[in-house]
Amino acid sequence: MGVLRLQLPTDPRWVNIVEKNIEEILTDHAWCEQKAATNAITIITNNPEHQDLVKDLLALVKEEVDHFEQVHNIIIKRGLKLGRERKDEYVNELYQYMKRSGDGSRVSGLVERLLFSAMIEARSCERFKVLSENIQDEELAVFYRELMESEAGHYTTFITYARKYGVGIDVEKRWREWLAFEESIITNYGKNETIHG
């Protein structure tokens, strides 16, 4: 999986599950975008002294909210309804790993949050690629191709800042540990019509 370095690819047959319930995947996707924006705002709130980080994450927040709106517009156009927010077990497992992993310092906390964010963006990017290449719906194939490129940019942003501000931390080693952890849990997913499910 090239630049993303994910250890286990998504089985393309996951798209067959997705296609049986487009309303569900779109609802889940919309809330994923909202949560991504909220996560970036949390990082800004906790690290306002890093002006470049704040600036780039503000741009990222705007993009995530724009993606939320785009998904919502597709839902409306198709006569579907945006359901209530879904619980994301995959993200929750990553979150628990992040909470266990920091050493309590602000630097460690920032690096872990950035790697947590990068991990979600990497897998989302990979899932969007699988959707774009395998879904029969032409509009959604094009849509997910465009979003895949955006998610790749977000992944790069988070990784870059983890390396920049991870003073005294072997960020490359930590990222390898994150990748190994993600590989250990992703085998439980790819069975539902949700972005990470």
Side-chain angles (χ1 to χ4, degrees), residues 92-144:
N92 191 48
E93 284 199 64
L94 294 179
Y95 183 81
Q96 294 306 321
Y97 178 69
M98 174 187 73
K99 293 300 269 186
R100 293 192 302 270
S101 298
D103 66 10
S105 70
R106 287 201 74 223
V107 172
S108 173
L110 174 57
V111 167
E112 290 303 313
R113 190 75 185 216
L114 291 169
L115 294 181
F116 161 77
S117 305
M119 192 79 259
I120 297 168
E121 296 288 354
R123 183 56 71 180
S124 298
C125 179
E126 189 261 353
R127 287 282 167 96
F128 290 168
K129 183 175 191 291
V130 172
L131 278 169
S132 73
E133 292 174 349
N134 295 282
I135 201 162
Q136 298 300 308
D137 187 310
E138 284 186 27
E139 180 189 28
L140 292 181
V142 171
F143 179 62
Y144 281 111

Side-chain angles (χ1 to χ4, degrees), residues 35-48:
K35 285 178 239 184
T38 302
N39 177 61
I41 289 168
T42 298
I43 297 172
I44 290 169
T45 303
N46 293 334
N47 303 277

Side-chain angles (χ1 to χ4, degrees), residues 15-28:
V15 178
N16 299 334
I17 299 167
V18 166
E19 288 178 317
K20 290 175 184 160
N21 196 343
I22 294 295
E23 186 171 43
E24 181 62 25
I25 189 78
L26 290 174
T27 285
D28 181 70

Side-chain angles (χ1 to χ4, degrees), residues 38 49 72 91 118 137 141 185 197:
T38 302
E49 68 277 16
H72 190 237
V91 170
D137 187 310
I185 67 166

